[in-house]
Amino acid sequence: MVEDEPAAAHIIAKGLREHAYAVDVANCARLALQRASASDYDAIVLDVGLPDGDGLDVCRELRDVGMMTPILMLTARGSVHARIAGLDSGADDYVTKPFDFDELLARLRAVLRRGARALLPERLHVGPLELNTRARLVSAKGGPALRLTTREYALLEYFARHAGEVVGRAAIAEHVWDDTYDPFSNVIDVYVQRLRRKLAAAGCGPLIKTRRGLGYMLTEEDAPE
Ligand code: CA
């Protein structure tokens, strides 16, 4: 998220994190461009008014280098010109300030769905698991919803989006944690252990495999080990 006003940035980031998004905040155009080229983001929420430039220029610059990441622009209220300029600069959609947070979430889901990678279908099925990505609920074998924390859910959804693929810790950290992640901690392993326990308690076999030295993989097989 690119937003220079600290209070607004704090509230939006907090709200998004509560909805299982990992959020990095950049407070100026320069940092936004730097971050966007260094990390593989799923979406960018971009404020138009930045202290060292214009969000529209940031958007144009990202598109000029071929970046396809969905961009949701935050524009000033009532300015038709600004909204048109936003879309012309390559943004996928816009929300006018002040906005309703639910609207921001809905538009963010929409740009993620339309995004080049289309990684967010509303329901994901992996073996005995069903994930409702909108309600952020997981059930196993048609049973009741598992009791997962926001972060546990986000980690499981990331695995489910990459079911059958080995995902490394760096990718997990980038998509599920934000820039507060400490690369020397074992927090990912701790969360994986918790998820395994909860999945086992719901009657699932060992769905999350360890690939030594590579990372983890969520599989469809539900056979006891
Ligand atoms: Ca601003």
Side-chain angles (χ1 to χ4, degrees):
M1 186 183 54
V2 187
E3 168 64 271
D4 57 307
E5 292 145 61
H10 175 76
I11 287 171
I12 300 169
K14 184 167 177 280
L16 290 173
R17 286 179 184 131
E18 282 169 5
H19 285 79
Y21 293 100
V23 186
D24 290 345
V25 179
N27 61 4
C28 64
R30 185 189 55 80
L31 201 54
L33 290 167
Q34 200 180 79
R35 283 273 165 89
S37 58
S39 277
D40 177 24
Y41 290 108
D42 298 307
I44 299 173
V45 178
L46 178 59
D47 188 36
V48 167
L50 298 171
D52 58 341
D54 192 320
L56 299 174
D57 294 328
V58 173
C59 192
R60 263 183 228 110
E61 238 174 278
L62 295 175
R63 293 305 186 226
D64 283 351
V65 296
M67 189 170 293
M68 298 299 291
T69 309
I71 296 177
L72 182 62
M73 197 77 93
L74 304 179
T75 65
R77 189 183 184 187
S79 169
V80 178
H81 173 74
R83 301 200 299 262
I84 294 169
L87 295 174
D88 281 346
S89 72
D92 296 84
D93 201 357
Y94 58 82
V95 181
T96 53
K97 286 173 149 185
F99 51 82
D100 181 83
F101 193 71
D102 286 333
E103 187 190 354
L104 177 77
L105 288 173
R107 292 196 183 270
L108 189 55
R109 283 195 299 271
V111 297
L112 283 165
R113 272 198 303 274
R114 285 200 300 267
R117 287 170 287 178
L119 286 175
L120 275 178
E122 191 162 322
R123 278 171 202 277
L124 289 168
H125 292 92
V126 182
L129 300 178
E130 180 179 304
L131 284 81
N132 178 332
T133 62
R134 186 149 180 193
R136 300 192 312 279
L137 292 173
V138 182
S139 58
K141 303 185 171 182
L146 272 61
R147 295 172 64 94
L148 301 180
T149 64
T150 305
R151 186 83 76 185
E152 288 166 357
Y153 171 80
L155 179 58
L156 188 57
E157 187 189 301
Y158 187 71
F159 281 142
R161 283 156 58 177
H162 299 275
E165 300 169 25
V166 177
V167 286
R169 285 179 183 76
I172 295 170
E174 194 160 278
H175 291 270
V176 182
W177 271 263
D178 44 38
D179 52 11
T180 56
Y181 175 76
D182 170 6
F184 298 105
S185 82
N186 65 344
V187 65
I188 291 173
D189 309 85
V190 170
Y191 271 82
V192 167
Q193 292 313 319
R194 284 192 208 162
L195 274 181
R196 280 177 171 152
R197 276 201 296 276
K198 291 188 178 183
L199 293 174
C204 299
L207 298 172
I208 305 173
K209 316 282 186 197
T210 302
R211 290 285 175 266
R212 198 167 290 280
L214 298 172
Y216 295 104
M217 181 168 81
L218 182 69
T219 62
E220 302 212 349
E221 301 137 47
D222 190 26
E225 220 157 45

